[in-house]
Amino acid sequence: MSTNIMLNNDIELPALGFGVFQTPPEETVTSVTEALRVGYRLIDTAASYFNERGVGEGIRRSGLDRSEIFIQTKLWISDFGYDEALHSFDKSAGKLGVEQIDLLLLHQPLTTAFDRTIGAYKALEKLLADGKVRAIGVSNFMPDVLDRLLAETGVVPAVNQVEVHPYFCQPDVQQADKEHGILTQAWSPMGGITSYRGDASRSTFNDPVIGEIAQTHGRTPAQVMLRWHLQEGRSAIPKSVNPERIAANFDVFGFELTADELARIDALDTGVRGGPEPAEVTLEAFHRDIPEA
Ligand code: NDP
């Protein structure tokens, strides 16, 4: 059984969720259906993944009641600004085929046009007040940018979804989140980005320390990394399109890492980011047209 984490507005979020970044639309339907079948109850998508329709279809095919599933999606920077963001909610909800979204995040800060970031966040506050979303949050917000947001808005984000895996832990971000009562949710929680964007032979999945800990427990490196997040109080959203890995990545509730093992994994942090520098995500470089529902 998965465990839930209480957010700062008293909404419960399943600690271990399922990601669909880079999953093509048709495979999204099958992988989401499979994830829900084996027990995941949180699905993480984004307008810019262009697979929200597949997530909605996978959820409907699961036969589960809507109230049993926690759906989170993210507004892309091209839809920032107050009115644009309100409309973007309609686009995402329409594609997902739901009235209400559980958690809506700003996918990235737009630091070069911060007024539009603030406008978009104020739209999230409005959607929250209107009951269209149950919680709101951000993604890829570094502490200085978070401070700027907090200074200009009223609702403290419930979640900050950031890159966290054994090779890039961002302790400063985790600390800032904690001080503000914001849950850190790990993207690329198994360091997937270290294989698909880096040199696969130097990926977290092949790390000798993680491998040794995995062997001790008769588990896989992926399971050890996911267990590490859960025991350190983070939410994690592993992605897979492979049914065996989808199931194995959720089977992490029957073992416990020691304090020493957690510390050994923490010590693997290289300080090297796999994803783009958040401050370098500009409209010029990262514009995407988000289609209507
Ligand atoms: P993950 O750490 O989840 O790794 C996924 C990669 O690892 C895939 O290539 C997958 O391949 C492979 N994999 C999955 N399970 C295993 C396993 N047990 N053993 C070996 N390999 C495995 O990285 P992601 O970058 O996909 O991040 C997860 C989610 O986080 C995304 O899907 C998305 O929802 C979110 N995200 C958010 C971002 C943001 O900016 N907010 C940025 C990036 C991700 P296969 O599918 O073939 O199993």
Side-chain angles (χ1 to χ4, degrees):
M1 262 307 282
S2 174
T3 50
N4 288 348
I5 297 176
M6 190 72 88
L7 300 178
N8 62 13
N9 67 342
D10 292 342
I11 296 289
E12 283 188 60
L13 171 145
L16 186 61
F18 184 69
V20 295
F21 175 47
Q22 294 177 311
T23 307
E26 239 336 285
E27 247 181 321
T28 303
V29 180
T30 50
S31 66
V32 166
T33 310
E34 185 60 16
L36 293 170
R37 193 184 71 76
V38 301
Y40 295 81
R41 289 294 177 266
L42 180 155
I43 311 293
D44 177 77
T45 182
S48 66
Y49 298 169
F50 304 106
N51 58 14
E52 289 171 311
R53 256 181 239 289
V55 169
E57 182 57 27
I59 288 171
R60 282 185 293 280
R61 283 195 199 173
S62 76
L64 290 165
D65 192 77
R66 167 71 187 90
S67 64
E68 294 181 63
I69 303 168
F70 193 98
I71 305 176
Q72 47 179 69
T73 191
K74 316 180 195 85
L75 301 190
W76 188 243
I77 54 172
S78 304
D79 283 348
F80 279 12
Y82 186 80
D83 293 334
E84 293 88 341
L86 284 182
H87 181 56
S88 198
F89 165 84
D90 291 335
K91 292 197 268 186
S92 286
K95 288 173 201 161
L96 288 161
V98 297
E99 297 285 316
Q100 188 189 47
I101 290 170
D102 296 283
L103 174 62
L104 190 56
L105 307 174
L106 298 188
H107 203 145
Q108 298 273 347
L110 196 49
T111 49
T112 49
F114 205 63
D115 54 325
R116 296 181 65 173
T117 307
I118 296 295
Y121 194 79
K122 289 190 169 163
L124 297 193
E125 293 181 326
K126 165 83 173 136
L127 292 163
L128 182 67
D130 291 349
K132 298 277 184 77
V133 300
R134 296 172 68 227
I136 61 176
V138 295
S139 175
N140 301 308
F141 272 55
M142 300 298 102
D144 57 328
V145 179
L146 195 56
D147 284 344
R148 285 173 71 189
L149 180 84
L150 292 170
E152 292 187 51
T153 57
V155 178
V156 176
V159 167
N160 189 11
Q161 184 185 115
V162 293
E163 180 179 349
V164 184
H165 50 73
Y167 287 178
F168 191 57
C169 301
Q170 308 210 72
D172 55 328
V173 177
Q174 294 196 50
Q175 183 57 32
D177 288 350
K178 197 172 169 189
E179 280 164 15
H180 294 296
I182 300 170
L183 173 68
T184 300
Q185 184 173 60
W187 68 249
S188 232
M190 306 175 292
I193 197 160
T194 63
S195 0
Y196 61 70
R197 250 190 146 204
D199 169 2
S201 70
R202 294 173 59 191
S203 97
T204 45
F205 293 109
N206 300 321
D207 184 88
V209 171
I210 298 170
E212 192 190 306
I213 296 171
Q215 229 176 8
T216 309
H217 292 272
R219 296 286 181 158
T220 65
Q223 289 172 322
V224 165
M225 290 188 267
L226 294 171
R227 189 70 217 167
W228 167 73
H229 288 292
L230 298 178
Q231 285 185 224
E232 292 193 349
R234 290 180 293 275
S235 167
I237 45 170
K239 171 264 178 187
S240 181
V241 293
N242 174 298
E244 277 169 27
R245 292 196 283 271
I246 291 173
N249 294 347
F250 194 72
D251 180 18
V252 295
F253 298 97
F255 73 108
E256 188 91 12
L257 300 174
T258 65
D260 177 59
E261 287 168 338
L262 296 177
R264 286 174 70 203
I265 301 173
D266 290 337
L268 299 174
D269 189 5
T270 63
V272 179
R273 189 185 291 286
E277 261 316 314
E280 288 170 12
V281 174
T282 61
L283 273 177
E284 294 68 35
F286 287 89
H287 171 73
R288 307 270 183 278
D289 274 319
I290 305 299
E292 295 298 324

